[in-house]
Amino acid sequence: KSSLRTRLSFYLAIKQLGGGALTLRSDELHPTKGGESLADTAKILSTYGNVFMLRTDSEKKLKEFKKHINIPIINGLSPSSHPTQVLSDIFTIEEIKKKPISKLNICWIGDANNNVINSLIAASVKFSFNLNIGCPKKYEPKKPLLSWAKKNRGKIYIFNDVKRAANNADVIFTDKVISMNDKVNKTKKIKDFKNFTVTTKIINCAKRDVIFLHCL
């Protein structure tokens, strides 16, 4: 899976509705070089179509766009969440497994403190599926997010043992150890995740027909 699949899913959905999609890169918009305000950009883009999807490196920019745009806005990616990718993944899982994700055991192995797992946790609450998270202790999800999930009857289970996390899984997710814009000691972080990689032994802990999704 990748951001490419997310964009393709979006374009296909638009096409099925009888519409078309226009891609605007960051270097084609004035806020990056020309000094135009986000507010003015949002107002102008409101005249381009019926829905706008924004991929951004800033929650502040997302909120500013939402405040000034006059059409529905979709979060295509932000530092704290990646809902479109997770929805695309759920579509993929149900397409392959031929059953609702609520009837499946989902496992995440790796850094549990990034935008993809944040959205996966939110999705597990929304769609009521079991989510096992296997990660080193200091890379567990933020406590406010886990508290929110617990308050909303989320079935989230944290394991610092990767084999236990993968036990009986229908689906195993993982991600890059070093995420985009991850300002960390890369050598140290890779070492921290030495025992949290998806190997044949880990796959063998899951169900025989397990599927594997990776954010390439």
Side-chain angles (χ1 to χ4, degrees), residues 80-81 83 86 90 115-129 131 145 148-149 152 154 156:
S80 69
S81 61
V86 169
I90 291 172
N115 58 355
V116 180
I117 184 60
N118 288 348
S119 288
L120 191 61
I121 289 171
S124 74
V125 172
K126 177 69 175 177
F127 298 105
S128 190
F129 59 81
L131 176 60
L145 180 59
W148 170 84
N152 288 278
I156 317 293

CSV table of all heavy atoms in Angstrom, one decimal, residues 80-81 83 86 90 115-129 131 145 148-149 152 154 156:
chain,number,residue,atom,x,y,z
A,80,SER,N,-0.5,14.4,12.1
A,80,SER,CA,-1.1,13.7,13.2
A,80,SER,C,-2.0,12.5,12.7
A,80,SER,O,-2.4,11.7,13.4
A,80,SER,CB,-1.9,14.6,14.1
A,80,SER,OG,-3.1,15.1,13.4
A,81,SER,N,-2.4,12.6,11.4
A,81,SER,CA,-3.3,11.5,10.9
A,81,SER,C,-3.2,11.3,9.4
A,81,SER,O,-2.7,12.2,8.7
A,81,SER,CB,-4.8,11.9,11.3
A,81,SER,OG,-5.1,13.1,10.6
A,83,PRO,N,-6.1,9.6,7.4
A,83,PRO,CA,-7.3,8.8,7.3
A,83,PRO,C,-7.6,8.2,5.9
A,83,PRO,O,-8.1,7.1,5.8
A,83,PRO,CB,-8.4,9.9,7.6
A,83,PRO,CG,-7.7,11.2,7.4
A,83,PRO,CD,-6.3,11.0,7.7
A,86,VAL,N,-5.7,4.9,5.5
A,86,VAL,CA,-6.3,3.8,6.4
A,86,VAL,C,-7.7,3.4,5.8
A,86,VAL,O,-8.0,2.2,5.7
A,86,VAL,CB,-6.5,4.3,7.8
A,86,VAL,CG1,-7.4,3.3,8.6
A,86,VAL,CG2,-5.1,4.4,8.5
A,90,ILE,N,-8.6,-0.4,4.6
A,90,ILE,CA,-9.8,-1.1,5.0
A,90,ILE,C,-10.5,-1.7,3.8
A,90,ILE,O,-11.0,-2.8,3.7
A,90,ILE,CB,-10.7,-0.2,5.8
A,90,ILE,CG1,-10.0,0.0,7.2
A,90,ILE,CG2,-12.1,-0.9,6.1
A,90,ILE,CD1,-10.8,1.0,8.1
A,115,ASN,N,1.3,9.2,12.2
A,115,ASN,CA,0.0,9.6,11.7
A,115,ASN,C,-0.8,8.3,11.2
A,115,ASN,O,-2.0,8.3,11.3
A,115,ASN,CB,0.1,10.6,10.6
A,115,ASN,CG,1.0,10.2,9.4
A,115,ASN,OD1,1.6,9.1,9.4
A,115,ASN,ND2,1.0,11.0,8.4
A,116,VAL,N,-0.2,7.3,10.7
A,116,VAL,CA,-0.9,6.2,10.1
A,116,VAL,C,-1.5,5.4,11.3
A,116,VAL,O,-2.7,5.0,11.2
A,116,VAL,CB,0.0,5.3,9.3
A,116,VAL,CG1,-0.8,4.1,8.8
A,116,VAL,CG2,0.6,6.0,8.1
A,117,ILE,N,-0.8,5.1,12.3
A,117,ILE,CA,-1.3,4.3,13.4
A,117,ILE,C,-2.4,5.1,14.2
A,117,ILE,O,-3.4,4.6,14.7
A,117,ILE,CB,-0.2,3.8,14.4
A,117,ILE,CG1,-0.8,2.9,15.5
A,117,ILE,CG2,0.6,4.9,15.0
A,117,ILE,CD1,-1.5,1.6,15.0
A,118,ASN,N,-2.2,6.4,14.2
A,118,ASN,CA,-3.2,7.3,14.9
A,118,ASN,C,-4.6,7.1,14.2
A,118,ASN,O,-5.6,6.9,14.8
A,118,ASN,CB,-2.8,8.7,14.8
A,118,ASN,CG,-1.7,9.1,15.8
A,118,ASN,OD1,-1.3,8.3,16.6
A,118,ASN,ND2,-1.1,10.2,15.6
A,119,SER,N,-4.5,7.1,12.8
A,119,SER,CA,-5.8,6.9,12.1
A,119,SER,C,-6.3,5.5,12.2
A,119,SER,O,-7.5,5.2,12.1
A,119,SER,CB,-5.6,7.3,10.6
A,119,SER,OG,-5.4,8.7,10.5
A,120,LEU,N,-5.4,4.5,12.3
A,120,LEU,CA,-5.8,3.1,12.4
A,120,LEU,C,-6.5,2.9,13.7
A,120,LEU,O,-7.5,2.2,13.8
A,120,LEU,CB,-4.6,2.2,12.3
A,120,LEU,CG,-4.9,0.7,12.1
A,120,LEU,CD1,-5.7,0.4,10.9
A,120,LEU,CD2,-3.6,-0.1,12.1
A,121,ILE,N,-6.0,3.6,14.8
A,121,ILE,CA,-6.6,3.5,16.1
A,121,ILE,C,-8.0,4.1,16.0
A,121,ILE,O,-9.0,3.5,16.5
A,121,ILE,CB,-5.8,4.2,17.2
A,121,ILE,CG1,-4.5,3.3,17.5
A,121,ILE,CG2,-6.6,4.4,18.5
A,121,ILE,CD1,-3.5,4.0,18.4
A,122,ALA,N,-8.1,5.2,15.4
A,122,ALA,CA,-9.5,5.9,15.2
A,122,ALA,C,-10.4,5.0,14.4
A,122,ALA,O,-11.6,4.9,14.8
A,122,ALA,CB,-9.3,7.2,14.5
A,123,ALA,N,-9.9,4.3,13.4
A,123,ALA,CA,-10.7,3.5,12.6
A,123,ALA,C,-11.1,2.2,13.3
A,123,ALA,O,-12.3,1.7,13.1
A,123,ALA,CB,-9.9,3.0,11.3
A,124,SER,N,-10.3,1.7,14.2
A,124,SER,CA,-10.6,0.5,15.0
A,124,SER,C,-11.8,0.8,15.9
A,124,SER,O,-12.6,-0.1,16.2
A,124,SER,CB,-9.4,0.0,15.8
A,124,SER,OG,-9.2,0.9,16.9
A,125,VAL,N,-11.9,2.1,16.4
A,125,VAL,CA,-13.1,2.5,17.2
A,125,VAL,C,-14.3,2.6,16.3
A,125,VAL,O,-15.4,2.1,16.6
A,125,VAL,CB,-12.8,3.8,17.9
A,125,VAL,CG1,-14.0,4.3,18.6
A,125,VAL,CG2,-11.6,3.6,19.0
A,126,LYS,N,-14.1,3.3,15.2
A,126,LYS,CA,-15.2,3.6,14.3
A,126,LYS,C,-15.8,2.3,13.7
A,126,LYS,O,-17.1,2.1,13.6
A,126,LYS,CB,-14.8,4.5,13.1
A,126,LYS,CG,-15.8,4.8,12.1
A,126,LYS,CD,-16.9,5.7,12.6
A,126,LYS,CE,-17.9,6.1,11.5
A,126,LYS,NZ,-19.0,6.9,12.0
A,127,PHE,N,-15.0,1.3,13.3
A,127,PHE,CA,-15.4,0.1,12.6
A,127,PHE,C,-15.4,-1.1,13.6
A,127,PHE,O,-15.7,-2.2,13.1
A,127,PHE,CB,-14.6,-0.1,11.4
A,127,PHE,CG,-14.7,1.0,10.4
A,127,PHE,CD1,-13.7,1.9,10.2
A,127,PHE,CD2,-15.9,1.1,9.6
A,127,PHE,CE1,-13.8,2.9,9.2
A,127,PHE,CE2,-16.0,2.1,8.7
A,127,PHE,CZ,-14.9,3.0,8.5
A,128,SER,N,-15.1,-0.9,14.8
A,128,SER,CA,-15.2,-1.9,15.9
A,128,SER,C,-14.4,-3.2,15.5
A,128,SER,O,-14.9,-4.3,15.5
A,128,SER,CB,-16.6,-2.3,16.1
A,128,SER,OG,-16.8,-3.1,17.2
A,129,PHE,N,-13.1,-3.0,15.3
A,129,PHE,CA,-12.3,-4.2,15.1
A,129,PHE,C,-11.2,-4.3,16.1
A,129,PHE,O,-10.7,-3.3,16.7
A,129,PHE,CB,-11.7,-4.3,13.7
A,129,PHE,CG,-10.8,-3.1,13.2
A,129,PHE,CD1,-9.5,-3.0,13.6
A,129,PHE,CD2,-11.3,-2.1,12.4
A,129,PHE,CE1,-8.7,-2.0,13.2
A,129,PHE,CE2,-10.5,-1.1,12.0
A,129,PHE,CZ,-9.2,-1.0,12.4
A,131,LEU,N,-7.5,-4.5,17.5
A,131,LEU,CA,-6.3,-4.0,17.0
A,131,LEU,C,-5.2,-4.3,18.0
A,131,LEU,O,-5.2,-3.7,19.1
A,131,LEU,CB,-6.4,-2.5,16.8
A,131,LEU,CG,-5.1,-1.8,16.4
A,131,LEU,CD1,-4.5,-2.4,15.1
A,131,LEU,CD2,-5.3,-0.3,16.2
A,145,LEU,N,-4.7,9.6,23.2
A,145,LEU,CA,-5.3,8.9,22.1
A,145,LEU,C,-5.9,7.5,22.7
A,145,LEU,O,-7.0,7.1,22.4
A,145,LEU,CB,-4.4,8.6,21.0
A,145,LEU,CG,-4.9,7.8,19.8
A,145,LEU,CD1,-6.1,8.5,19.2
A,145,LEU,CD2,-3.8,7.7,18.7
A,148,TRP,N,-8.9,8.1,24.8
A,148,TRP,CA,-10.0,8.4,24.0
A,148,TRP,C,-10.6,7.1,23.4
A,148,TRP,O,-11.8,6.9,23.4
A,148,TRP,CB,-9.7,9.3,22.8
A,148,TRP,CG,-10.7,9.4,21.8
A,148,TRP,CD1,-11.8,10.3,21.8
A,148,TRP,CD2,-10.9,8.7,20.6
A,148,TRP,NE1,-12.6,10.1,20.7
A,148,TRP,CE2,-12.0,9.1,19.9
A,148,TRP,CE3,-10.1,7.7,20.0
A,148,TRP,CZ2,-12.5,8.6,18.7
A,148,TRP,CZ3,-10.5,7.1,18.8
A,148,TRP,CH2,-11.7,7.5,18.2
A,149,ALA,N,-9.7,6.2,23.0
A,149,ALA,CA,-10.1,4.9,22.4
A,149,ALA,C,-10.8,4.1,23.5
A,149,ALA,O,-11.9,3.5,23.2
A,149,ALA,CB,-8.9,4.2,21.8
A,152,ASN,N,-14.3,5.3,24.2
A,152,ASN,CA,-15.2,5.0,23.2
A,152,ASN,C,-15.3,3.5,22.8
A,152,ASN,O,-15.6,3.1,21.7
A,152,ASN,CB,-14.8,5.8,21.9
A,152,ASN,CG,-15.2,7.2,22.1
A,152,ASN,OD1,-16.3,7.7,21.9
A,152,ASN,ND2,-14.2,8.0,22.4
A,154,GLY,N,-13.0,1.2,22.4
A,154,GLY,CA,-12.1,0.7,21.4
A,154,GLY,C,-11.4,-0.6,21.9
A,154,GLY,O,-11.1,-0.7,23.1
A,156,ILE,N,-8.3,-1.9,21.7
A,156,ILE,CA,-6.9,-1.7,21.4
A,156,ILE,C,-6.0,-2.4,22.5
A,156,ILE,O,-6.2,-2.2,23.7
A,156,ILE,CB,-6.5,-0.2,21.5
A,156,ILE,CG1,-7.6,0.6,20.8
A,156,ILE,CG2,-5.1,0.0,20.9
A,156,ILE,CD1,-7.7,0.4,19.3
